[in-house]
């Protein structure tokens, strides 16, 4: 887990250099979780309350049309942050 924390800190600091106390506060907001293959991080119709950081693996965003055909819209891999990329006026 220490290796993951260092990896995430390095990514954050490469985007914007934070003072150590601020970086610590940001890091305190993250929780380490592992998911099995084909796990849904967010399902259609649910409100997104998370930002995920991929340490190792791949995530895809997709939609399913009325005929059941899946269309990929985005792929994220190691070192990427992901979250909902669309906004609904219902929320």
């Amino acid at each position: 887990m220490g290796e993951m924390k260092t990896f995430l800190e390095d990514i954050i600091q490469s985007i914007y250099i934070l003072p150590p106390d601020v970086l610590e506060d940001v890091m305190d907001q993250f929780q380490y979780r592992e998911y099995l293959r084909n796990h849904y991080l967010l399902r259609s119709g649910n409100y997104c309350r998370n930002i995920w950081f991929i340490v190792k693996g791949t995530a895809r965003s997709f939609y399913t049309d009325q005929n059941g055909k899946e269309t990929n819209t985005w792929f994220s891999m190691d070192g990427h942050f992901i979250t909902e990329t669309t906004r609904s006026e219902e929320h």
Side-chain angles (χ1 to χ4, degrees), residues 13 35 37 40:
Q13 293 290 69
Y35 298 99
R37 182 180 180 93
Y40 287 83

Side-chain angles (χ1 to χ4, degrees), residues 21-68:
D21 59 323
V22 175
L23 180 61
E24 185 177 333
D25 288 343
V26 169
M27 293 301 297
D28 286 345
Q29 301 306 307
F30 285 87
Q31 297 176 358
Y32 182 80
R33 295 189 179 167
E34 291 186 17
Y35 298 99
L36 297 175
R37 182 180 180 93
N38 296 320
H39 175 84
Y40 287 83
L41 296 176
L42 183 65
R43 291 189 182 266
S44 180
N46 291 347
Y47 185 69
C48 181
R49 293 182 176 3
N50 296 303
I51 297 173
W52 294 272
F53 178 75
I54 300 174
V55 175
K56 182 173 174 54
T58 303
R60 75 177 175 124
S61 177
F62 67 96
Y63 66 90
T64 307
D65 69 17
Q66 62 236 34
N67 298 318

Side-chain angles (χ1 to χ4, degrees), residues 4-13 27 30 53 81:
M4 182 275 307
K5 183 179 178 193
T6 301
F7 182 47
L8 180 55
E9 287 175 345
D10 289 347
I11 297 290
I12 291 170
Q13 293 290 69
M27 293 301 297
F30 285 87
F53 178 75
F81 288 94

